Amino acid sequence: MAKYYSNEQQYLGATPPTPPGDEALGGRMRSYRATIPLDAPKLSPTQNGASITTADTVSLCKVPAGMRFLKGTLTSSVSLGTSTIAVGNASDAAKYRAAAVFTAVDTPTDFGKAAAMALPAGGGDEEVLLTVAVATLPTTAGAKLIVDMIFVGP
């Protein structure tokens, strides 16, 4: 019977075994939370009271160099209806989550693309963005969309 090793554990089959020495082994998890008000967004002085609409972006966090994506979690106090949201960066709006509807209410829902999880740690700082791809986000009194991004690194 053959024995296989994951990418992170391949060193165990080497002679002599030499651990990779990066965030794959024993890295620290770091969580970045973004709370987005949906009733009267106050994301910047110029957007006070404006709706978040198609093609708009919301800055979720700035991740320092050397971090690897682990997962994200969406939680909303209201259904986003037909609005679709993607999570990524300026060069790839759907790097972490493809544009899709999110209708779960008060139910934390994990997301993450395998391709993004398998990427090596980033070489530079990265601003993570939420992009509205279709339909304006709802404007419901007291409503909030919370996005948690979890990375691992040194």
Side-chain angles (χ1 to χ4, degrees):
M1 177 174 0
K3 182 174 184 178
Y4 297 93
Y5 295 98
S6 68
N7 287 347
E8 293 80 9
Q9 299 301 314
Q10 286 183 19
Y11 77 93
L12 293 173
T15 305
T18 306
D22 66 3
E23 77 290 341
L25 296 173
R28 291 184 181 184
M29 287 195 309
R30 295 189 186 148
S31 175
Y32 301 89
R33 172 164 285 186
T35 302
I36 304 164
L38 297 176
D39 53 355
K42 297 176 183 175
L43 305 174
S44 75
T46 59
Q47 294 173 311
N48 192 9
S51 297
I52 303 171
T53 191
T54 305
D56 284 351
T57 61
V58 177
S59 180
L60 300 177
C61 61
K62 188 166 188 177
V63 181
M67 303 297 285
R68 182 182 292 200
F69 176 65
L70 184 61
K71 73 173 183 172
T73 303
L74 291 173
T75 309
S76 183
S77 61
V78 296
S79 169
L80 299 186
T82 59
S83 299
T84 64
I85 56 173
V87 178
N89 59 31
S91 62
D92 182 357
K95 179 178 179 179
Y96 301 114
R97 180 184 193 266
V101 296
F102 186 70
T103 57
V105 176
D106 290 330
T107 306
T109 305
D110 290 343
F111 67 87
K113 290 176 143 182
M117 292 175 180
L119 288 173
D125 293 352
E126 175 187 36
E127 182 181 21
V128 179
L129 302 169
L130 177 140
T131 302
V132 180
V134 174
T136 300
L137 292 179
T139 52
T140 306
K144 295 190 181 355
L145 171 62
I146 299 167
V147 184
D148 289 308
M149 298 295 293
I150 301 173
F151 289 81
V152 65

